[in-house]
Amino acid sequence: MVTTNAGPATALPPGVRPRLSTRAKGTAALVVTVLIWAAFALSARALSSSSLLPADAALLRFGVPLLVLAPALWRRRRRIAAVRPATALKIACGAGVPFFLAAMYGGSLTSAAFVGSIVPGMVPLFVSTLMVAAGRGLPRGTQAVGLALIAVGVVALVWRYVVPLDAQVVAGAGILLVASGLWALYTVGLKEVDLDPVGSIGLLCLPSFAVMALLALTGVLPTGLASAAGSDIALFLVVQGLGVGLCAGLLYAYAIRSLGAERSSTMGSLSPVAVVLLAIPLLGESPTAAVLVGVPLITAGVALANRRPRPRTTALPLPRTQPEVPDHA
């Protein structure tokens, strides 16, 4: 028998594997989620060289989760239908067709580093702006510092394309800012809805798939899904449909329950770094000086912006005046 300072070690019965702790499972779920977020940014850039059109990628993105979750969504149909129209619109627009097309088109004009940094990185700043506009208090302390770092990081990322002017990259960065603002709207909408992760996925994907199908059938957005390469279809089905559309939301919700919102959002802020590192071997992108400066600033800013202020010691609970600004929904 092996003994330690803590006492004798208990051997497991033959054939019984040690169980992972809740924290270990939560960490694993979060790591996979960050990789999925990075894959979304990479696929947004890869779409421009793919045989798929934006409408095709959107149909896969919103259609696959509906197909997989159909029985569960049917059981939640009354709760989904009971969501207020204004809240449903925030979710459907914020992460649905407008967001998806903006992210895909902006990515085709820039780089994976821009998608992975600007879209999630600017979300805390936009959410904070929405909260202030709604009458909530101004950010302070580390949150204010984090928001400032995000702004400086985005300026550092884009500045070299402003002087001298590279109209394509600047336009792409502007479109990605629109996508980030839409995602912030989605984040605020999620705070207003009383649905579990599966119900939230249904509330997003149902109207989004219906709109994309209508646009494709009427010819407003061209589709080439029937003639696209099988490898491209498989790639976007896995990354966008199963990964982003289904797994990311469920795994991130599990990570938050297991690790807490602050730790999850702080670790989630590493997704821009993962995008830059993965884009080197997968897309052949070389990080520029602007990327090497801007991405760390945005990452640090997101981590600080998502730190919750310490509660003050008081006999009575104080109202929350600081907006909680997650980097991802």
Side-chain angles (χ1 to χ4, degrees):
M1 179 181 297
V2 180
T3 60
T4 64
N5 292 335
T10 302
L12 293 173
V16 177
R17 297 180 180 179
R19 293 183 179 181
L20 291 176
S21 65
T22 300
R23 176 172 294 185
K25 292 178 182 178
T27 301
L30 190 56
V31 169
V32 175
T33 302
V34 170
L35 293 176
I36 291 173
W37 287 337
F40 171 81
L42 296 173
S43 66
R45 178 59 180 158
L47 183 62
S48 60
S49 59
S50 166
S51 60
L52 291 174
L53 298 174
D56 304 326
L59 289 171
L60 293 173
R61 159 69 178 89
F62 300 114
V64 171
L66 291 179
L67 184 63
V68 174
L69 297 175
L73 293 176
W74 178 254
R75 292 193 296 269
R76 292 164 172 80
R77 63 190 184 279
R78 291 185 177 87
R79 296 192 65 183
I80 294 175
V83 175
R84 292 184 304 167
T87 300
L89 189 62
K90 290 178 184 178
I91 291 174
C93 290
V97 174
F99 164 80
F100 186 85
L101 295 180
M104 292 295 111
Y105 187 57
S108 70
L109 298 176
T110 55
S111 66
F114 272 61
V115 181
S117 301
I118 292 178
V119 175
M122 283 294 292
V123 168
L125 195 56
F126 282 124
V127 170
S128 180
T129 301
L130 291 172
M131 293 298 184
V132 171
R136 305 289 289 272
L138 289 171
R140 63 178 184 271
T142 56
Q143 287 190 336
V145 173
L147 296 177
L149 284 178
I150 291 170
V152 172
V154 171
V155 171
L157 194 65
V158 178
W159 182 251
R160 63 162 293 198
Y161 300 99
V162 177
V163 182
L165 179 64
D166 187 327
Q168 175 178 306
V169 175
V170 171
I175 295 171
L176 292 176
L177 285 174
V178 172
S180 182
L182 288 169
W183 191 267
L185 191 66
Y186 168 70
T187 302
V188 173
L190 281 181
K191 293 175 179 293
E192 300 174 358
V193 72
D194 184 24
L195 291 172
D196 62 3
V198 173
S200 298
I201 290 174
L203 181 61
L204 167 63
C205 291
L206 280 167
S208 299
F209 182 79
V211 169
M212 281 308 310
L214 180 62
L215 293 176
L217 289 174
T218 56
V220 175
L221 287 179
T223 176
L225 197 59
S227 58
S231 58
D232 290 339
I233 295 176
L235 175 64
F236 277 81
L237 187 150
V238 172
V239 172
Q240 292 287 353
L242 294 177
V244 179
L246 183 64
C247 295
L250 299 178
L251 289 174
Y252 191 57
Y254 178 81
I256 289 176
R257 288 195 299 268
S258 303
L259 304 176
E262 181 176 345
R263 181 175 297 178
S264 297
S265 60
T266 301
M267 292 179 64
S269 67
L270 295 176
S271 63
V273 178
V275 171
V276 172
L277 295 177
L278 290 173
I280 296 173
L282 296 180
L283 298 179
E285 293 186 2
S286 299
T288 62
V291 169
L292 294 177
V293 173
V295 169
L297 286 173
I298 293 172
T299 300
V302 171
L304 289 175
N306 280 282
R307 291 187 64 180
R308 295 180 179 178
R310 293 181 180 179
R312 299 174 181 176
T313 303
T314 179
L316 295 175
L318 293 176
R320 182 187 295 271
T321 58
Q322 287 250 59
E324 186 178 336
V325 284
D327 55 329
H328 294 287

